[in-house]
Amino acid sequence: SAAREPYYEEVSAGGTGHVESVEVVYDPTKISYEELLNVFWKNVDPVDNRGQFCDKGSQYRSKIFVHNEEQQQLAETSKQQLSQSKFKKTPIVTDIEPAQVFYPAEDYHQDYYLKHPVRYKFYRTACGRDQRLAEVWGQAALH
């Protein structure tokens, strides 16, 4: 039988080999790939190889998925620059890999922070996300 798309619950439980991720479609006339990389880095903990914040497991590790050689080179360069400046003592564990098939999560999980703002804010606070980002990047990164 043909393989089916994984369900969000299966991916978030781990064991499927998939990674929970966000697909970003952008207009390069409005924002550059380098700017997207800067936003990405400031929203992850690039030195945690166990996952992100309170979500632990290989399905939650930070990764950058690239679509071409230019994106690969720009992502590698930005990672190297951070390794030589901000993260000299702690290695960056964010992997950079070729993009594969992207499976959107079910509708109820799309724009979760908009549909369930109170739950999302509680999760974000209880998980220590903002606190950890401030530790990693400084308070200015949160604004």
Side-chain angles (χ1 to χ4, degrees), residues 73-112:
Q73 187 60 46
L74 291 169
E76 293 286 355
T77 298
S78 71
K79 180 178 176 178
Q80 184 178 28
Q81 288 171 344
L82 286 171
S83 293
Q84 294 171 350
S85 59
K86 182 129 182 88
F87 300 101
K88 288 180 181 177
K89 296 180 181 173
T90 309
I92 293 175
V93 295
T94 300
D95 293 324
I96 300 168
E97 301 176 1
Q100 298 179 26
V101 177
F102 179 83
Y103 299 106
E106 292 80 7
D107 285 343
Y108 77 89
H109 206 76
Q110 299 295 329
D111 297 320
Y112 188 87

Side-chain angles (χ1 to χ4, degrees), residues 1-2 5 12 18 42-43 54 63 65-66 68 76-77 89 93 104 108 111 126 131-132 135 141:
S1 70
E5 293 183 10
S12 64
H18 295 88
K42 297 285 178 11
N43 282 281
C54 66
K63 294 186 181 228
F65 294 102
V66 296
N68 56 48
E76 293 286 355
T77 298
K89 296 180 181 173
V93 295
Y108 77 89
D111 297 320
Q131 180 180 343
R132 179 62 183 150
E135 289 171 8

Side-chain angles (χ1 to χ4, degrees), residues 24 26-41 63-78 96-97 99:
V24 177
Y26 73 102
D27 180 346
T29 65
K30 295 182 179 179
I31 187 168
S32 69
Y33 192 70
E34 293 93 339
E35 290 173 290
L36 288 178
L37 289 167
N38 288 333
V39 170
F40 167 81
W41 290 119
K63 294 186 181 228
I64 298 172
F65 294 102
V66 296
H67 290 275
N68 56 48
E69 186 62 38
E70 179 185 14
Q71 288 180 355
Q72 175 82 32
Q73 187 60 46
L74 291 169
E76 293 286 355
T77 298
S78 71
I96 300 168
E97 301 176 1

Side-chain angles (χ1 to χ4, degrees), residues 45-50 61-63 79 91-95:
D45 181 347
V47 299
D48 187 349
N49 65 1
R50 299 173 301 130
R61 285 194 51 201
S62 66
K63 294 186 181 228
K79 180 178 176 178
I92 293 175
V93 295
T94 300
D95 293 324

